[in-house]
Amino acid sequence: MELTFNQAAKGVNKEFTVNIMDTCERCDGKGNEPGTKVQHCHYCGGSGMETINTGPFVMRSTCRRCGGRGSIITNPCVICRGAGQAKQKKRVVIPVPAGVEDGQTVRMPVGKKEIFITFRVQKSPVFRRDGADIHSELFISIAQAILGGTARAQGLYETINVTIPPGIQTDQKIRLSGKGIPRINSYGYGDHYIHIKIRVPKRLTSRQQSLILSYAEDETDVEGTVNGVTQTSTGKRSTGN
Ligand SMILES: [Zn+2]
Ligand SMILES: [Zn+2]
């Protein structure tokens, strides 16, 4: 059974139809057409067993005439042809528990039979799953990374306002406790980990360009060089244009 990421994470009631062999509903498993009489098997006296005398031994076995039924059907049921069992289409509602994982199987009674259902959980374009924990990425600007701030991230249950501390690094994780998937074998929820990605702008306004050059002039811990910034012979940096 195919489930979306969110259905598996939050749980869902899934309806589907199965074809199973079960007690014939038309004859209620008796095998004769409803309203018709069933003949008592005179061969076994209705016991369904016959006694075979083989010299010194007396064997009891299933009556060959009635097949152990004890009665003879003269008007077999039109649905099951007297078998008492028929293929039936059944609508089943499966309460898929929240937190079900890809490949997990559940057992489910359908009529007098049991069926096994294996879940296939689709991938999410937003979330990655690790048990009850979920992971997602959040892109922030350079200024947000340096100065801190807030950003909106898609959560499993709602949109989340994430507080970004000043000086956050790329790939740093922000843990949102209890915002993950319900734990299927215990209590509580997993966590939501937001992986920070810093978006570097490809185009700058001329003002941003001059500001970033000024910023670069004051940078002291640079390995190598910065385009547009040259180091003077005195060790001080100045703009090259
Ligand atoms: Zn029947
Ligand atoms: Zn019989």
Side-chain angles (χ1 to χ4, degrees), residues 24-29 31-32 77-85:
C24 176
E25 283 176 340
R26 184 176 173 86
C27 64
D28 197 25
N32 60 303
C77 165
V78 294
I79 297 293
C80 64
R81 295 192 186 89
Q85 296 267 306

Side-chain angles (χ1 to χ4, degrees), residues 55-72:
F57 304 107
V58 175
M59 294 198 336
R60 276 175 69 74
S61 68
T62 307
C63 173
R64 285 167 291 178
R65 189 78 164 272
C66 65
R69 210 186 287 269
S71 55
I72 290 163

